[in-house]
Amino acid sequence: MKKDLTSKVLRIDGAGKFKLDSRDTKLKQPPYRDEAHYELLLTDYRREIDELQQKLYAHDRFSVLLIFQAMDGAGKDSTIRHVMTGVNPTGVEVTAFKRPSEEELDHDFLWRTTKALPQRGRIGIFNRSYYEEVLVTRVHPEIVTQVQKLPREELKDMDELWEKRYRAIREFERHLHNNGTIVLKFFLNVSKREQGRRFLERIDNPAKNWKFSSADLKERARWDDYQKAYQTAIRETATKEAPWFVVPADDKLAMRLMVSDVVVKALRGLKLAWPKLDKDALAELAGCRAQLLAEE
């Protein structure tokens, strides 16, 4: 990967101004020479993520939460699958959040995701998340006013309601950070043109028909509204403790490598090491070794 790519090009942490339409959806120069080089790089990333996750588990002080948000067709599912393939499945848990159930609607908007947070030593992945409550609901506010059963007082000023949600998210993520959860948020930035091409592929390929619905076109018609909602959400919730990474998504291979690079650098930054035993534990270990050797 190009030096400082993830920190200078992708990372948004609230330190400067952010405009979504100024962000590329495709790199001018991909971080791989050809598909064989891509496979080699991705394999190396997978191997390191697996090793670092094992150290994360043994260290038992931190957890990692990866949040993926994007327009339909951006490649969330495939990115998660390709980046995390080969990592010990007991150390990774993926949760996909769909339309809230009746039980979930009877709680606050952070409840259903809080239940799925990763334990110490593990990597948790959210395919969509509580951010839907400041994205889809901003484009379709009738969900809030007619479905979410909020007190009427909360619905009198919708601008204030959104501000409260952004603040709740910032405070929630700061709380997670303070308690050892590393929060990394990815917006996979696909262009409208590329989304249209991928939708056509889903329609034309029988094996992918199930991925497409006419409802996808209705949401596509609100493209500009969604872009505005994403820009505001990223601006309002990007912090040093829980940064966003706006990843160009028109080239899926490059996107997977960039996501992998962010994850690896974050895990490296924890400076994880295998636990060291004290003298008494080492002495006990030596005794166990001697006992096993005596059995031979």
Side-chain angles (χ1 to χ4, degrees):
M1 298 292 291
K2 190 182 296 183
K3 185 179 180 181
D4 291 333
L5 175 67
T6 55
S7 60
K8 290 189 176 180
V9 179
L10 307 182
R11 184 184 175 99
I12 310 295
D13 59 12
K17 295 181 179 180
F18 169 68
K19 288 188 66 177
L20 184 53
D21 62 7
S22 70
R23 294 281 167 162
D24 292 332
T25 60
K26 187 174 184 178
L27 296 178
K28 294 177 181 176
Q29 182 177 354
Y32 61 92
R33 293 188 299 271
D34 50 35
E35 192 160 343
H37 185 221
Y38 154 77
E39 291 288 352
L40 181 64
L41 291 172
L42 187 62
T43 297
D44 286 344
Y45 277 127
R46 288 168 172 168
R47 186 180 298 114
E48 186 166 5
I49 291 172
D50 181 47
E51 180 181 346
L52 289 167
Q53 189 281 318
Q54 291 181 54
K55 288 183 178 179
L56 183 78
Y57 184 84
H59 193 265
D60 201 29
R61 290 292 182 274
F62 297 100
S63 60
V64 177
L65 176 61
L66 310 180
I67 296 175
F68 288 87
Q69 294 285 161
M71 297 294 288
D72 288 335
K76 297 187 301 300
D77 292 348
S78 65
T79 298
I80 293 168
R81 183 172 67 254
H82 282 82
V83 171
M84 303 311 294
T85 292
V87 180
N88 186 340
T90 62
V92 179
E93 184 171 4
V94 180
T95 307
F97 293 98
K98 306 295 184 182
R99 181 177 298 180
S101 67
E102 284 299 317
E103 181 187 18
E104 290 165 345
L105 288 170
D106 278 336
H107 293 81
D108 68 89
F109 78 93
L110 290 170
W111 181 77
R112 66 174 182 158
T113 50
T114 301
K115 294 194 305 175
L117 289 171
Q119 302 173 53
R120 299 190 194 282
R122 294 170 174 83
I123 298 174
I125 301 174
F126 286 178
N127 186 340
R128 302 190 186 277
S129 67
Y130 45 81
Y131 278 99
E132 296 295 291
E133 300 303 330
V134 291
L135 294 169
V136 174
T137 54
R138 288 219 67 168
V139 176
H140 298 284
E142 66 274 11
I143 296 173
V144 176
T145 58
Q146 299 175 22
V147 179
Q148 293 194 343
K149 308 177 185 180
L150 293 177
R152 292 181 180 177
E153 188 68 26
E154 290 296 309
L155 302 176
K156 288 182 178 179
D157 187 335
M158 293 300 288
D159 288 338
E160 184 179 0
L161 182 143
W162 303 126
E163 290 301 322
K164 286 179 178 179
R165 288 194 173 183
Y166 295 134
R167 184 167 63 250
I169 289 172
R170 289 194 300 269
E171 291 172 353
F172 177 65
E173 291 175 346
R174 186 175 297 112
H175 168 75
L176 293 179
H177 174 83
N178 291 342
N179 284 274
T181 298
I182 309 306
V183 182
L184 304 174
K185 303 174 293 190
F186 298 93
F187 173 61
L188 307 184
N189 189 23
V190 70
S191 66
K192 189 175 184 180
R193 181 177 182 179
E194 178 62 18
Q195 187 200 54
R197 189 192 70 77
R198 293 178 188 178
F199 279 176
L200 285 171
E201 183 182 0
R202 291 179 179 183
I203 293 171
D204 295 340
N205 185 347
K208 294 186 177 182
N209 287 170
W210 64 274
K211 289 186 175 184
F212 185 78
S213 165
S214 59
D216 294 334
L217 288 185
K218 293 179 181 179
E219 295 304 292
R220 177 176 165 83
R222 304 293 298 273
W223 181 274
D224 291 342
D225 295 330
Y226 273 105
Q227 295 295 293
K228 182 178 179 181
Y230 270 109
Q231 176 174 273
T232 304
I234 292 171
R235 281 179 178 174
E236 292 292 332
T237 62
T239 64
K240 182 179 178 181
E241 296 84 4
W244 278 97
F245 295 87
V246 179
V247 184
D250 282 4
D251 179 345
K252 287 187 177 182
L253 306 190
M255 175 175 62
R256 294 165 190 164
L257 293 177
M258 286 184 276
V259 169
S260 300
D261 194 61
V262 172
V263 175
V264 164
K265 286 181 177 176
L267 288 169
R268 285 177 186 167
L270 297 176
K271 302 187 184 304
L272 301 167
W274 299 112
K276 292 184 177 180
L277 303 181
D278 59 26
K279 290 182 179 180
D280 291 341
L282 287 172
E284 182 180 1
L285 206 64
C288 292
R289 182 177 187 275
Q291 182 176 338
L292 287 168
L293 288 173
E295 294 176 358
E296 293 182 359

